[in-house]
Amino acid sequence: MIVCVAVVGNQNNPVYLQSFTEADDALKLHHIVHCSLDVIDERVNNPKRSGPTLNETFLGLLYPTENYKVYGYLTNTKVKFIMVTTDLDVKDADVRNFFRRFHAAYVDAVSNPFHVPGKKITSKSFAERVSVIVKSFGSTAA
Amino acid sequence: MIGVGKAKQYANVLDKPLSRGRQEVSLSAFAFLFSELVQYNQTQVDNIAELERRLEDAGYAVGARVLELLCHREKGNRRETRLLGILSFIHSTVWKVLFGKVVYLITFCIWKDNLYQKRYVADSLEKGTEHEDEYMISEKELLVNHMGAFNCGAFVAGIVRGVLDSAGFPAVVTAHFVPIEGQQRPRTTILIKFAEEVLRREARLG
């Protein structure tokens, strides 16, 4: 079950954060997302010196906390997507698929000429698409 | 019988499935939009330099979005960290998507420490400039220059600057006319001058 998704810009500024649980612990999720930024920076700046991992977009499992798993994805413009989930058995292919669709929705939201790059994404249609993608993630993983 | 083919015949034209359409925009639609953009900006400014700056800003916004879009569409989405990588990405992929063709020639000129000879990539024939941080993309018939008496290449320069900036290579990009003998139209050249930090990083990466 996906708990939250976040989009962080290239200056590590938050661009979008959406939680999908009923509990109102947005602060804790902000904190988790913030910590995962450090992990991403470390992965990007000190890559394992094997060729294919140098330019990969999908960063994989960043770190597991108490009962959450955090996955990361880095786009070409240093925009980072973070996904926090509580599922214990998540298939890699599912997460990649999720990020691919999420990236498509993000590109469409940014292509809006009224969107200022770096500011928060306020488009309602983007929020709807994201919630559709999140819902379908749960069902295909089962 | 004439007309009987493999395609299913629809009784009503409304029943035909919608085609996906070609991934192109008509030239007249773009020309109309671009001319409106130029005219609107002309009413707001007093001189040519300001107009070019505004066109470049408009192009910058396009460039930033084009980079996101192209990186998503390309299979195997690599992030360009090298200078040559991002330049060849621009002159092949970006140009093909925007203008439907490959740039006519691209010239590199790298001089470092007074030691080196000029390096050429592709089938370039021109000599470059003397500065080590400048690169040029040269185009015979820039699309936006078919309309209008002055240099609308500033728009394309803005697009290139947007792509480079979003990819992490801050640069100053300008468009110039280069007169060539034998052709009455001067060739348009996009001059890219990278920032100091980009060159340092490139030197560090080896």
Side-chain angles (χ1 to χ4, degrees):
Chain A
M1 231 259 307
I2 293 192
V3 169
C4 109
V5 290
V7 179
V8 180
N10 58 347
Q11 246 92 32
N12 287 345
N13 48 322
V15 170
Y16 184 76
L17 185 91
Q18 177 71 44
S19 68
F20 296 97
T21 54
E22 303 76 20
D24 190 25
D25 47 1
L27 201 57
K28 188 161 82 147
L29 296 172
H30 267 275
H31 179 246
I32 293 182
V33 167
H34 203 265
C35 295
S36 58
L37 291 179
D38 281 334
V39 181
I40 292 186
D41 275 340
E42 181 181 302
R43 291 258 182 114
V44 164
N45 293 335
N46 312 324
K48 310 178 247 287
R49 277 289 163 192
S50 48
T53 56
L54 200 53
N55 284 346
E56 270 298 304
T57 51
F58 177 65
L59 301 170
L61 182 67
L62 295 179
Y63 71 106
T65 64
E66 336 120 20
N67 45 357
Y68 299 126
K69 283 182 170 186
V70 181
Y71 286 90
Y73 181 97
L74 181 71
T75 70
N76 215 322
T77 49
K78 303 239 181 122
V79 172
K80 311 162 184 68
F81 301 152
I82 313 238
M83 192 252 280
V84 181
T85 177
T86 51
D87 271 339
L88 292 178
D89 52 346
V90 194
K91 284 197 280 289
D92 201 39
D94 284 336
V95 183
R96 280 181 196 259
N97 196 21
F98 170 83
F99 275 129
R100 194 175 47 82
R101 294 163 74 184
F102 191 74
H103 195 172
Y106 171 74
V107 165
D108 285 340
V110 164
S111 303
N112 181 1
F114 296 110
H115 170 258
V116 178
K119 292 280 188 327
K120 302 208 180 216
I121 296 183
T122 51
S123 147
K124 279 200 277 283
S125 58
F126 176 68
E128 280 167 17
R129 274 177 80 171
V130 168
S131 49
V132 165
I133 297 176
V134 165
K135 281 197 192 42
S136 68
F137 176 81
S139 63
T140 55
Chain B
M1 275 186 280
I2 299 174
V4 172
K6 299 222 173 67
K8 186 167 165 210
Q9 301 290 330
Y10 287 93
N12 191 357
V13 71
L14 291 174
D15 290 335
K16 282 192 194 159
L18 288 174
S19 63
R20 269 196 73 193
R22 298 169 4 170
Q23 307 283 336
E24 294 167 355
V25 174
S26 71
L27 182 61
S28 27
F30 174 69
F32 182 57
L33 182 65
F34 191 67
S35 75
E36 272 304 312
L37 182 72
V38 172
Q39 278 175 45
Y40 173 75
N41 283 326
Q42 264 179 329
T43 60
Q44 311 259 318
V45 304
D46 326 319
N47 53 13
I48 289 277
E50 185 67 21
L51 175 64
E52 292 203 342
R53 201 185 61 79
R54 278 180 178 242
L55 281 182
E56 208 184 307
D57 285 343
Y60 182 87
V62 173
R65 288 163 175 86
V66 155
L67 181 66
E68 288 274 5
L69 184 68
L70 286 183
C71 294
H72 179 58
R73 276 193 196 161
E74 294 285 299
K75 310 284 187 316
N77 222 331
R78 315 247 110 193
R79 195 162 67 89
E80 304 292 343
T81 45
R82 309 304 307 263
L83 208 69
L84 295 184
I86 190 72
L87 282 171
S88 57
F89 174 74
I90 290 182
H91 104 277
S92 58
T93 314
V94 176
W95 237 257
K96 193 161 23 148
V97 164
L98 293 182
F99 304 117
K101 57 179 170 159
V102 185
V103 168
Y104 181 52
L105 31 100
I106 178 166
T107 313
F108 287 42
C109 171
I110 309 178
W111 290 35
K112 288 189 214 169
D113 302 328
N114 307 326
L115 289 180
Y116 293 41
Q117 58 283 4
K118 301 183 191 69
R119 273 163 54 175
Y120 296 94
V121 177
D123 51 352
S124 63
L125 303 165
E126 273 179 35
K127 287 191 188 305
T129 68
E130 301 83 26
H131 300 282
E132 62 183 70
D133 51 356
E134 290 186 352
Y135 295 81
M136 304 192 312
I137 297 182
S138 168
E139 171 116 31
K140 218 161 130 185
E141 294 283 335
L142 199 60
L143 184 72
V144 298
N145 275 342
H146 277 187
M147 24 194 137
F150 60 95
N151 194 356
C152 297
F155 184 64
V156 178
I159 295 183
V160 173
R161 188 166 69 94
V163 172
L164 287 174
D165 222 12
S166 309
F169 295 85
V172 174
V173 184
T174 47
H176 303 278
F177 273 137
V178 174
I180 303 284
E181 315 79 46
Q183 294 169 354
Q184 83 273 32
R185 270 180 177 278
R187 183 158 32 193
T188 314
T189 298
I190 314 269
L191 185 70
I192 306 173
K193 191 174 167 65
F194 285 101
E196 193 45 53
E197 51 165 291
V198 174
L199 298 170
R200 271 189 271 128
R201 185 177 70 201
E202 190 66 20
R204 206 178 58 222
L205 284 174

